[in-house]
Amino acid sequence: EGTGCHFPKDIQEAPSPDSEAFYLFIFTVKFSNCNGKRKVQYESSEPADFKVDEDGMVYAVRSFPLSSEHSKFLIYAQDKETQEKWQVAVKLSLRPALPEDSVKESREIEEIVFPRQVTKHNGYLQRQKRDWVIPPINLPENSRGPFPQELVRIRSDRDKNLSLRYSVTGPGADQPPTGIFIINPISGQLSVTKPLDRELIARFHLRAHAVDINGNQVENPIDIVINVIDMNDNRPEFLHQVWNGTVPEGSKPGTYVMTVTAIDADDPNALNGMLRYRILSQAPSTPSPNMFTINNETGDIITVAAGLDREKVQQYTLIIQATDMEGNPTYGLSNTATAVITVTDVNDNPPEFTAMTFYGEVPENRVDVIVANLTVTDKDQPHTPAWNAVYRISGGDPAGRFAIQTDPNSNDGLVTVVKPIDFETNRMYVLTVAAENQVPLAKGIQHPPQSTATVSVTVIDVNENPYFAPNPKIIRQEEGLHAGTMLTTFTAQDPDRYMQQNIRYTKLSDPANWLKIDSVNGQITTIAVLDRESPNVKNNIYNATFLASDNGIPPMSGTGTLQIYLLDINDNAPQVLPQEAEICETPDPNSINITALDYDIDPNAGPFAFDLPLSPVTIKRNWTITRLNGDFAQLNLKIKFLEAGIYEVPIIITDSGNPPKSNISILRVKVCQCDSNGDCTDVDRIVGAGLGTGAIIAILLCIIILLILVLMFVVWMKRRDKERQAKQLLIDPEDDVRDNILKYDEEGGGEEDQDYDLSQLQQPDTVEPDAIKPVGIRRLDERPIHAEPQYPVRSAAPHPGDIGDFINEGLKAADNDPTAPPYDSLLVFDYEGSGSTAGSLSSLNSSSSGGEQDYDYLNDWGPRFKKLADMYGGGDD
């Protein structure tokens, strides 16, 4: 106990009016404050049964039985600032219920009297009594009754003279939720019918009314406020069951991590809704079991210890508890949630090479080749800037022939050749490389920021291409150089100095075939005359390409270009240009402007001298030439009239070479009749204007080919008409009345009819008669041996000298003989044998079939169809 501050009694007795209580006010404990300024907090030793408010009022928290013996508990008083503590013992005794207690209780129920209304006095309104301010009614929630439970009694002082009726209105009475509060209309007793829940409705505002039996208002309505007193009947609830937060590794103590929040449905202004947070557990508990702390009022989680290392512990799991009643563990309600704290990575570990020296090799002259694979280890989180390595070459490569790229998946360094390497220059490279992260190391890290290693690269010798130097090689030479002249030596060098190899030379490209090269020493010699005016020479330069090949494994080759700059000599005579022109018959206006064409160049070309030859004498008599300047001259008629026609005028043109070169060039001049404008009007203008002999021959050839095509078409049309007429002689298959048609593709007796006596064709008059032929030996196509009617015998034709005449005369005799059989010995037909099932055509009765048809057209078919014409078209005969 503190000095000067104490409870008035060490033991206080409190009578309990009933055998059980529930949140029932029992008594008030008083504490003598020594200076009047101390803030004292009360606590009960039995918080499950009794509750002490800040003003010292003691309540029963739950219903419990009381025996006749004394029930004892302690009440503590503690200074909030100095933490001094006092206590007092409380004895709770059971008081036997007396009959008059119920009457006393009924008398103790508070009455609410309607205030008097104003009355008229001497014609003025006068208030006889002030309106009341009715204090709120406090009613604890979750009361267990019994119900209905009386609250207050409402009455009017006019109930002495009038019979009044009382009623209440408002939410909870006649408005939703209805029926919670009722009033006895006679006595005015206001009661509650069920337990209340502050979390649903914390305050009810009712209005009481008093009317007479006729329904007339007797008193003005009065307001009644009922406050629902909060009880601790709700646990704290976290907004999330799992909270996620992050904190960088290596964070200092006091670093904010995250905030967890819980809510309590109870009154936040009372102890029931005042929450306090604390950490129940931490997993894992390394390097310290208390790496974090929480603000018990705000829920902020901060670090309290150093040593967060992601490479050792990547995640912490905290169990957070929220307790109401300001965190009182005895009678406060609690709930828990989980806080998951992820330790994020910072760059606190530099990359480290797995070896001090790496080895690789590369063939010379190769680029984009991976030489070596550098491996590093980094304990930081993979695929982050703190883990990604950046490599650089710090020494051993002054020419920048190597580069290092980072593999994004493995974080390895790929040493790559970016410039060709020459084995003959350097056989080995020793590189110094360094590796560091994309971001700098975190502050306070004692490790070096980078790691270094050595890369030894061996260069492999390979067979390289021979090369010409210089390439291209340019020489100057006059044109006209004779064949067999040695021009120059064009040799190649082999870069493989450590290989014993021979080089052979061949010609690769020589458009004009002017050169040859010695395969061993590379000497280039002419095999034809060099001509600057050749179409293979461009801008006075002739290009030839040569190939140099070694005998290495594999053999390699290189090309070189020889450029010959040809100097011009005066080897081309000038020619007149144009070569054809027109002029009128009269000299006025008449002139032809001409120039000279010389394939040489200065100084072997212009200026030119133009002149006319002395012979024939008609040239100078008819023409005159005048030099206009160094390149142009003018040709005019010298006489007044020259008959129309084509004239060849020779012109002597001399260039300015040293020595000069002259040439007599022919100018074809067409003299024609002209109109007033000086234009030719002759018909022959077309020929003279540009249709040469070649063009005229081409036109004639086209015309001849066209005529041949037309003739071939006409012949083909005639042949097709003949074939069509021959087909018309055949009987249409639909008009053929024969039952059986036997068609053969061969004319002869088959294999038995292969021995032909050609002498019969040479001398027809020597044919033996049938009578002298032996019986049983005869041709199948000859006339069968049977009795035949006697027909007149045709006279034998005289022996013609030609077989063609014989056949023609026999054909005429057969055509004119109506009795000629179809099996004439000279007319060979296919004989199908005797006894045909089709019978003879003579057996057909014209009267039995087709009698009404007209067969007179058979007479028009010639003598071969005369028999049919007589049978079918002979009329009544």
Side-chain angles (χ1 to χ4, degrees), residues 528-717:
V529 177
L530 306 183
D531 185 8
R532 192 198 64 84
E533 290 74 31
S534 171
N536 297 306
V537 177
K538 306 296 181 184
N539 298 324
N540 302 327
I541 295 177
Y542 179 76
N543 291 312
T545 306
F546 299 92
L547 182 69
S549 303
D550 61 19
N551 57 349
I553 300 176
M556 304 299 291
S557 60
T559 60
T561 301
L562 177 65
Q563 293 183 341
I564 305 175
Y565 187 89
L566 294 175
L567 303 176
D568 185 40
I569 63 174
N570 195 12
D571 58 345
N572 291 279
Q575 299 176 3
V576 68
L577 191 71
Q579 296 180 355
E580 296 180 355
E582 293 180 353
I583 196 170
C584 296
E585 295 175 332
T586 59
D588 189 26
N590 255 343
S591 63
I592 300 174
N593 292 328
I594 61 174
T595 184
L597 174 64
D598 195 333
Y599 292 104
D600 294 326
I601 59 176
D602 290 337
N604 297 320
F608 301 100
F610 300 89
D611 198 2
L612 297 175
L614 297 178
S615 62
V617 295
T618 56
I619 298 300
K620 283 200 171 185
R621 185 180 60 193
N622 297 335
W623 306 92
T624 179
I625 189 167
T626 305
R627 182 180 179 185
L628 299 178
N629 52 37
D631 294 329
F632 291 91
Q634 193 173 75
L635 182 66
N636 297 286
L637 275 176
K638 191 174 182 181
I639 59 178
K640 294 183 178 180
F641 176 81
L642 184 63
E643 186 179 358
I646 297 177
Y647 299 86
E648 292 184 353
V649 180
I651 300 176
I652 302 174
I653 306 176
T654 305
D655 60 20
S656 299
N658 186 18
K661 203 170 187 64
S662 299
N663 181 33
I664 299 178
S665 183
I666 303 300
L667 174 64
R668 297 178 73 248
V669 180
K670 179 186 177 183
V671 180
C672 60
Q673 298 178 0
C674 298
D675 56 12
S676 59
N677 296 325
D679 297 328
C680 285
T681 57
D682 293 350
V683 179
D684 296 336
R685 175 183 175 85
I686 298 176
V687 178
L691 285 180
T693 304
I696 296 175
I697 293 175
I699 294 174
L700 292 177
L701 289 176
C702 292
I703 295 174
I704 292 173
I705 293 174
L706 182 61
L707 291 176
I708 293 174
L709 293 176
V710 173
L711 182 60
M712 293 176 62
F713 178 74
V714 172
V715 172
W716 176 77
M717 289 295 293

Side-chain angles (χ1 to χ4, degrees), residues 155-428:
R155 59 175 295 272
S156 172
D157 55 2
R158 293 192 179 187
D159 60 354
K160 298 177 181 179
N161 302 325
L162 299 174
S163 177
L164 303 181
R165 298 292 184 268
Y166 301 98
S167 63
V168 290
T169 59
D174 61 343
Q175 299 178 17
T178 59
I180 296 179
F181 299 97
I182 60 175
I183 191 171
N184 191 315
I186 303 300
S187 63
Q189 180 68 45
L190 179 65
S191 304
V192 60
T193 61
K194 62 177 67 175
L196 303 180
D197 189 354
R198 190 204 68 84
E199 285 70 44
L200 296 179
I201 302 177
R203 173 178 293 184
F204 293 90
H205 188 187
L206 304 178
R207 176 163 288 190
H209 306 271
V211 297
D212 57 15
I213 58 176
N214 296 323
N216 298 321
Q217 180 176 314
V218 177
E219 301 284 357
N220 289 331
I222 60 175
D223 293 329
I224 300 176
V225 177
I226 300 175
N227 292 327
V228 183
I229 300 175
D230 182 43
M231 297 298 167
N232 193 18
D233 57 344
N234 292 278
R235 291 181 179 274
E237 296 291 340
F238 283 92
L239 297 181
H240 305 287
Q241 192 59 34
V242 178
W243 296 78
N244 294 298
T246 59
V247 60
E249 63 175 332
S251 297
K252 297 179 180 180
T255 302
Y256 170 80
V257 180
M258 60 188 301
T259 299
V260 296
T261 303
I263 57 175
D264 196 318
D266 293 326
D267 188 0
N269 299 320
L271 293 177
N272 298 333
M274 295 182 180
L275 305 182
R276 296 295 182 266
Y277 302 93
R278 71 190 185 100
I279 298 175
L280 296 181
S281 65
Q282 169 192 308
S285 59
T286 57
S288 170
N290 298 316
M291 296 295 296
F292 305 93
T293 186
I294 188 170
N295 188 309
N296 63 348
E297 293 185 1
T298 62
D300 294 341
I301 299 176
I302 59 176
T303 59
V304 293
L308 290 174
D309 190 352
R310 190 204 66 84
E311 287 72 36
K312 294 181 180 179
V313 179
Q314 298 182 3
Q315 193 177 81
Y316 288 91
T317 301
L318 308 180
I319 303 300
I320 310 298
Q321 183 186 59
T323 307
D324 58 13
M325 302 298 293
E326 289 187 331
N328 191 306
T330 304
Y331 50 87
L333 302 179
S334 303
N335 210 339
T336 60
T338 302
V340 178
I341 301 175
T342 302
V343 181
T344 59
D345 186 41
V346 297
N347 192 15
D348 57 345
N349 293 281
E352 297 179 1
F353 283 103
T354 58
M356 295 302 297
T357 304
F358 296 88
Y359 299 93
E361 59 182 19
V362 58
E364 63 174 333
N365 300 323
R366 295 283 299 275
V367 294
D368 298 330
V369 178
I370 297 177
V371 177
N373 193 10
L374 311 181
T375 57
V376 296
T377 59
D378 195 320
K379 297 179 182 179
D380 292 322
Q381 185 174 359
H383 305 291
T384 61
W387 178 82
N388 296 333
V390 178
Y391 300 88
R392 61 185 178 86
I393 300 174
S394 58
D397 184 24
R401 300 183 183 275
F402 298 90
I404 306 179
Q405 299 177 353
T406 303
D407 189 326
N409 297 321
S410 63
N411 209 27
D412 294 344
L414 308 178
V415 182
T416 309
V417 180
V418 294
K419 292 182 181 180
I421 300 175
D422 188 9
F423 173 83
E424 288 71 26
T425 303
N426 198 342
R427 300 184 182 185
M428 178 175 289

